[in-house]
Amino acid sequence: MEGGDTGPSLTREELARYARHLVLPEVGKAGQERLKHARVLLVGAGGLGSPAALYLAAAGVGTLGIVDPDVVDVTNLQRQILHGTGGLGAPKVDSARARLTDVNPHVQLQTGALRLSSANALEIVAGFDVVVDGSDNFPTRYLVNDACVLTGKPNVYGSVYRWEGQLSVFAADGGPCYRCLFREPPPPGLIPNCAEAGVFGALPGVIGAAQSMETVKLLLGVGQPLVGRLQIFDALSYSWRELEIRRDPDCPVCGDQPTQTGLIDYEVFCGVAPEVPADESAVGSVEADELAGVMAGDPRPFLLDVREPMEWQMMNLAELGAVLVPMGEVGERLEEIPRDRPVVVYCHTGVRSLKVAEALVDEGYEDVRNLEGGIVGVVG
């Protein structure tokens, strides 16, 4: 990750910039200097990471680390306010760096266009004081949680889904961790992602801004952070509910006698990666660059799109003869899927389609293949 070092004290320009903080008794000059020397890691520069990063930079947090492997896509712009039209196709961390430097040039930025993984998480997380989890998938959430517990770093958690948001602080001050609340991940495909279910554009702004607020409170040691409490926000009714969360003494990660003392394979743990080698699976695979050749075969394969109708409208492989049957409808529409031809199944990135392909094999289909990387690998 690229970055630099913070200076030792507030400059005259910084004293002017943070004037509204300095008059707050809970902050003052000592608190603002504490923020300047603080280091915060943001996992994700998307819907939640955008407002969190903007407010943390504006608040004068000295070093912001940002990890995100993705590039700016036009579908991001409805809610990911770090990015703009001019940054389409650019790495999100580059777009974020440009915007945050303009917001506050006194903040040192350490960015990495990489995916947090079991191989790098402990080393990266250990270098920061607080972690803000802006991820949008269960493997990363469990990875962030476990890395925070193992390194002793607070995890400021947020999530959004359609019109609902969640917020809490995990792995802090002897409080519970994410595993105490959600010991096991939900079955794959049970909870749709943003592309499938949608998300109200301003919702991540509410939750992401709240994550930045909780982060600053932790850094300053003021107020009552959301340790042991889960806030649930309903944007349609504009109402908040709060649930108490207690640390689980039998938690496998933060419990009294933890059974997991290192990071694991979170793709397998969350059921989004096969536990058996690919060559032992009954489902074949097709690489993106092989698809056109496969579709020219005789007999011509049946190309099955298992995404949602809105995803189909945005981009599809109709020119290759693809047929849309959403994942949730496959079981009741099997008669539309021929058994006398090979079947190639695809979705957005290849996760949902693998599950459907396995289900088709269980139904007696003999030649079923999954498009590795999904439609993203074909059209970019």
Side-chain angles (χ1 to χ4, degrees):
M1 294 174 64
E2 305 170 1
D5 298 322
T6 57
S9 60
L10 299 175
T11 65
R12 180 176 299 179
E13 199 280 334
E14 288 174 310
L15 290 171
R17 177 181 287 265
Y18 307 128
R20 299 301 184 271
H21 265 181
L22 297 176
V23 297
L24 291 172
E26 297 84 356
V27 183
K29 186 171 182 289
Q32 194 62 52
E33 289 183 343
R34 190 170 181 174
L35 291 180
K36 180 172 181 175
H37 299 150
R39 298 172 58 83
V40 174
L41 174 67
L42 293 110
V43 180
L48 294 171
S50 288
L54 287 166
Y55 276 109
L56 290 172
V61 171
T63 300
L64 289 179
I66 305 175
V67 291
D68 194 311
D70 294 334
V71 299
V72 181
D73 182 83
V74 67
T75 61
N76 302 149
L77 303 185
Q78 160 254 15
R79 66 198 179 281
Q80 299 184 14
I81 57 175
L82 262 181
H83 317 295
T85 304
L88 289 175
K92 285 185 180 179
V93 291
D94 291 350
S95 176
R97 174 179 285 275
R99 180 73 181 100
L100 295 174
T101 298
D102 183 56
V103 169
N104 190 349
H106 300 284
V107 173
Q108 303 297 313
L109 299 169
Q110 297 183 344
T111 58
L114 53 87
R115 186 177 301 278
L116 205 66
S117 70
S118 298
N120 60 30
L122 290 179
E123 180 180 358
I124 292 175
V125 168
F128 293 87
D129 303 313
V130 178
V131 177
V132 177
D133 183 2
S135 62
D136 61 357
N137 62 85
F138 288 103
T140 304
R141 287 174 188 158
Y142 281 98
L143 168 64
V144 169
N145 174 80
D146 294 1
C148 285
V149 172
L150 294 172
T151 57
K153 310 295 182 179
N155 169 19
V156 182
Y157 160 78
S159 69
V160 291
Y161 176 73
R162 291 180 174 168
W163 296 86
E164 182 181 286
Q166 296 184 357
L167 177 73
S168 189
V169 174
F170 294 118
D173 299 330
C177 76
Y178 184 74
R179 291 274 197 109
C180 297
L181 179 63
F182 302 112
R183 184 156 186 165
E184 299 290 339
L190 178 64
I191 300 178
N193 59 31
C194 286
E196 302 164 41
V199 60
F200 178 54
L203 176 61
V206 175
I207 303 301
Q211 285 181 280
S212 70
M213 184 164 54
E214 289 301 302
T215 301
V216 170
K217 286 162 56 182
L218 286 169
L219 295 172
L220 293 175
V222 302
Q224 296 180 342
L226 283 173
V227 177
R229 297 183 289 153
L230 176 73
Q231 290 271 334
I232 302 173
F233 176 62
D234 183 341
L236 283 175
S237 63
Y238 206 94
S239 61
W240 292 85
R241 292 183 293 133
E242 182 170 297
L243 302 178
E244 180 182 0
I245 313 169
R246 297 186 178 181
R247 176 177 166 272
D248 180 2
D250 296 321
C251 175
V253 180
C254 77
D256 296 340
Q257 296 181 320
T259 57
Q260 181 188 317
T261 57
L263 300 181
I264 60 176
D265 187 328
Y266 294 89
E267 299 287 323
V268 170
F269 176 68
C270 293
V272 297
E275 295 189 63
V276 297
D279 57 4
E280 294 182 18
S281 173
V283 175
S285 64
V286 176
E287 299 292 335
D289 58 2
E290 300 173 340
L291 182 61
V294 169
M295 293 305 297
D298 185 17
R300 183 179 177 83
F302 182 81
L303 186 57
L304 176 62
D305 186 326
V306 297
R307 299 173 302 147
E308 296 302 307
M310 181 61 70
E311 295 177 273
W312 171 276
Q313 292 175 17
M314 293 170 57
M315 60 178 175
N316 57 67
L317 298 178
E319 71 280 2
L320 293 177
V323 175
L324 175 66
V325 180
M327 181 177 182
E329 301 176 16
V330 170
E332 59 193 40
R333 295 174 60 181
L334 288 175
E335 72 280 357
E336 301 176 35
I337 305 171
R339 295 176 179 270
D340 58 350
R341 294 162 54 189
V343 178
V344 176
V345 192
Y346 77 88
C347 63
H348 189 67
T349 59
V351 175
R352 283 173 284 167
S353 56
L354 178 59
K355 295 300 177 184
V356 171
E358 291 172 342
L360 290 177
V361 170
D362 290 342
E363 289 289 340
Y365 286 78
E366 296 183 355
D367 188 350
V368 185
R369 297 174 238 181
N370 183 48
L371 179 60
E372 296 293 330
I375 193 172
V376 173
V378 178
V379 302

